[in-house]
Amino acid sequence: MRNVYVQGVGMVKCGRYTEKIETKAAEACMNALQDAGMKWRDVQAAYAAHVMQGPSAGQKVFSQIGITGLNVTNVENACASGSTALHHAYYDIAYGKYDVVLVVGFEKMKRGVIDANKGEERSYEDKLGLQVMPSEYAQKAQRHMYEYGTTPEQMAKVSVKNHKNGTYNPYAHYQKNFTLEEVLQSRPIADPLTLLQACPTSDGAAAVILVSENVMKKNRNQDPIKFVGTAVQTETILEDIDLTTRTANIAYQMAGLGPKDISLAEVHDAFTIGELLHYEALGFCAPGESGSLIDEGVTEITGSLPVSPSGGLQSRGHPLGMTGVAQVCEIAWQLRGEAGQRQVQNNPKVGLAHTQGAGGICAVNIFSL
Amino acid sequence: MAEIPLFEEGVMDQDARLIGSKCPDCNQYAFPAQSYCPRCSHEMERTALSQEGELYTYTIIRQGPPWWKDKVPYTVGRVKLPEGVIVKTQIKNDELSPLQIGTKMQVEPHVMINEQGEKVKIYRFCPVG
């Protein structure tokens, strides 16, 4: 297997677009190409990650920047679509199929609760009003409160932290601070979660260019960022182990690293409780201790293990197909020391990106200087 | 009088007995019923499931999807049956009270108005006693 590097990253600001999504996604691709010092014609294959943008949305994006006949694949894997596309792009290079692969993730979202059954007959769960995303996380929250005594305040602190981080990120949809009281007293959506503990519905696009070692060397990267671990997994009933833990273990093993080696992480904080659960599942703390971890400020930008310095899904936004790709943009900026006011303070060497998707999907990608 | 139609075929009978499936090879259960075993891929057989279980977790939904706007707030949760399967369900909780995880629950039939404005029969769980 060959080494794989991140040659360039690029984003556009998340928000609510009046422009067509393919225009914004094309802009993200151009930003990544500029960052990489490459031209579109250098790209040999491209993945377009999106969930609800329709057939061949990727081809529409790429035709905006050049009709060059390359291998294009559209990837849908719910909220883990972008991460899954990166996973496949990694192996395209690692196994020697291509030297330059671009991954773009993008989404234009409808407002309100996601209708996961678009285009098909409603499921029995949907007919019973059971298929509501905030409810899924709220039930995890209730269970965590029951098992470990985690409090609504500890969950709300995730929102406070990530919104604060978002105020320093020019690409974030929301750049506004909220107090703990404001988060707790915002409209309840599914007990114990309140509106300010749910990610907003945002439009957005992000792109990453992965290259082989010979291409990386030719382009004289000052701080080459190596893609060292990647895993995509789904739920199993064969083993009694958390999906995120199992996925992370595969990626850790591949990277030859463990939770203690991680300098910063971007995790799937679609709802605040999610971030706490992921601290535990990724091995950042023992089961049941995520509440203390947030209380102690360990995961703040100034802490020893910053989590979601970009503002995360809570504040940057969660355009479904974009998220896993935008996480890698943030990790690249942080590892290069280019993150400005939100630059983590622990001299970062290794960044971990984690997403999970409806239907029981998890993806973990790890990058190292 | 005509019986109220079930909200979905193949999930329950008229008395809200849940229909699952059991693997004759490895004894794995599934709900709703499916053709092949999620553990060993063997063909499964339909079976009625236990009518009592334990509350595993729950929430009170305060904001529903657009097609459920007029139904909030309502309580939903997961009930673990003795067969080991976890059933996603609406929960009877007219007072919208906090519930105790681990409470013994039993299934009951309930009538609901569906998206098309028709009366349909659903299953739901309520605390025993």
Side-chain angles (χ1 to χ4, degrees):
Chain A
M1 292 237 295
R2 306 194 300 169
N3 289 332
V4 179
Y5 294 85
V6 175
Q7 180 73 28
V9 298
M11 269 187 80
V12 287
K13 184 182 189 297
C14 298
R16 295 222 163 85
Y17 300 156
T18 49
E19 303 95 325
K20 285 190 168 165
I21 188 63
E22 54 257 38
T23 309
K24 302 298 283 185
E27 198 183 322
C29 293
M30 293 306 283
N31 289 345
L33 286 166
Q34 191 183 14
D35 185 54
M38 303 182 96
K39 291 192 166 27
W40 176 241
R41 283 189 190 188
D42 300 326
V43 178
Q44 297 164 315
Y47 288 90
H50 52 95
V51 179
M52 303 193 204
Q53 307 307 300
S56 312
Q59 284 80 342
K60 286 180 197 158
V61 172
F62 301 133
S63 69
Q64 305 292 308
I65 51 180
I67 304 173
T68 57
L70 79 173
N71 178 339
V72 170
T73 305
N74 291 269
V75 177
E76 189 280 302
N77 223 7
C79 303
S81 297
S83 317
T84 303
L86 284 159
H87 175 79
H88 289 285
Y90 171 91
Y91 284 104
D92 281 355
I93 293 170
Y95 285 140
K97 187 175 172 188
Y98 296 114
D99 289 305
V100 182
V101 180
L102 178 143
V103 176
V104 62
F106 54 93
E107 205 79 43
K108 199 164 193 173
M109 303 282 292
K110 287 204 172 73
R111 298 185 75 156
V113 173
I114 294 168
D115 183 355
N117 270 15
K118 194 185 176 193
E120 55 178 281
E121 201 190 331
R122 294 222 177 278
S123 65
Y124 86 98
E125 292 150 293
D126 234 345
K127 290 179 184 173
L128 293 175
L130 304 175
Q131 194 83 311
V132 187
M133 202 47 77
S135 151
E136 293 299 303
Y137 278 93
Q139 290 183 55
K140 289 182 186 191
Q142 293 284 358
R143 186 75 201 177
H144 208 260
M145 290 161 74
Y146 168 77
E147 285 183 14
Y148 301 111
T150 305
T151 66
E153 287 74 17
Q154 288 169 325
M155 296 177 208
K157 280 182 182 176
V158 172
S159 171
V160 173
K161 169 178 75 69
N162 292 355
H163 279 98
K164 185 173 70 188
N165 295 351
T167 64
Y168 305 130
N169 185 354
Y171 296 104
H173 184 178
Y174 286 95
Q175 297 170 355
K176 188 174 182 327
N177 276 305
F178 293 99
T179 65
L180 191 64
E181 289 67 35
E182 283 172 318
V183 172
L184 286 167
Q185 283 160 24
S186 59
R187 181 158 54 83
I189 52 171
D191 300 357
L193 300 175
T194 56
L195 185 65
L196 287 173
Q197 300 186 63
C199 60
T201 50
S202 316
D203 308 332
V208 167
I209 296 166
L210 300 180
V211 300
S212 59
E213 189 154 350
N214 53 329
V215 171
M216 182 276 289
K217 280 183 175 155
K218 245 188 273 171
N219 283 274
R220 291 186 296 113
N221 257 14
Q222 280 189 323
D223 293 313
I225 294 166
K226 197 170 165 187
F227 194 166
V228 291
T230 179
V232 177
Q233 293 283 290
T234 53
E235 287 286 1
T236 177
I237 62 167
L238 304 179
E239 290 176 74
D240 188 19
I241 177 171
D242 178 88
L243 170 61
T244 291
T245 302
R246 191 162 48 85
T247 311
N249 284 348
I250 296 169
Y252 284 141
Q253 193 177 11
M254 179 174 170
L257 298 168
K260 286 192 166 55
D261 300 305
I262 303 301
S263 319
L264 78 139
E266 287 279 318
V267 306
H268 199 81
D269 58 328
F271 295 86
T272 51
I273 179 65
E275 181 165 314
L276 297 184
L277 294 172
H278 307 326
Y279 292 167
E280 298 172 13
L282 293 167
F284 298 164
C285 65
E289 287 179 8
S290 55
S292 311
L293 204 68
I294 187 99
D295 281 343
E296 290 159 12
V298 172
T299 56
E300 298 275 350
I301 284 175
T302 50
S304 59
L305 176 44
V307 175
S308 298
S310 69
L313 284 63
Q314 291 278 319
S315 164
R316 181 194 56 221
H318 180 31
L320 309 181
M322 179 206 80
T323 292
V325 186
Q327 289 178 329
V328 178
C329 294
E330 180 67 13
I331 286 171
W333 289 321
Q334 291 285 355
L335 293 181
R336 292 178 191 160
E338 293 175 356
Q341 277 186 287
R342 65 184 192 286
Q343 180 63 49
V344 302
Q345 304 298 313
N346 61 353
N347 190 23
K349 299 283 181 238
V350 182
L352 179 148
H354 159 271
T355 53
Q356 63 181 40
I361 308 164
C362 182
V364 172
N365 291 318
I366 305 176
F367 302 85
S368 171
L369 272 184
Chain B
M1 220 175 81
E3 273 195 298
I4 295 169
L6 299 176
F7 81 102
E8 166 114 353
E9 286 303 319
V11 172
M12 60 184 271
D13 69 12
Q14 277 288 343
D15 301 317
R17 276 188 295 257
L18 301 179
I19 303 166
S21 52
K22 185 186 181 189
C23 177
D25 203 46
C26 76
N27 294 325
Q28 174 72 37
Y29 284 86
F31 175 79
Q34 59 185 62
S35 302
Y36 303 102
C37 177
R39 182 176 295 275
C40 72
S41 312
H42 196 283
E43 272 188 57
M44 296 189 96
E45 292 163 358
R46 298 247 159 167
T47 181
L49 295 174
S50 298
Q51 291 172 279
E52 289 193 355
E54 255 184 28
L55 184 65
Y56 181 77
T57 187
Y58 78 102
T59 184
I60 300 169
I61 296 182
R62 312 263 177 192
Q63 180 184 348
W67 60 97
W68 266 68
K69 247 182 199 159
D70 56 338
K71 293 195 168 57
V72 289
Y74 61 101
T75 304
V76 304
R78 284 168 156 77
V79 172
K80 192 168 187 183
L81 302 183
E83 291 90 339
V85 289
I86 288 183
V87 176
K88 293 173 77 175
T89 181
Q90 287 191 29
I91 292 171
K92 184 185 180 194
N93 181 20
D94 297 337
E95 313 293 319
L96 297 175
S97 321
L99 303 176
Q100 186 60 45
I101 288 174
T103 299
K104 209 165 198 205
M105 309 287 285
Q106 67 184 31
V107 73
E108 66 170 20
H110 180 65
V111 175
M112 182 191 91
I113 308 292
N114 72 7
E115 246 185 283
Q116 289 73 38
E118 304 150 350
K119 274 188 182 175
V120 290
K121 197 181 275 186
I122 68 168
Y123 70 87
R124 71 173 180 183
F125 277 80
C126 59
V128 173

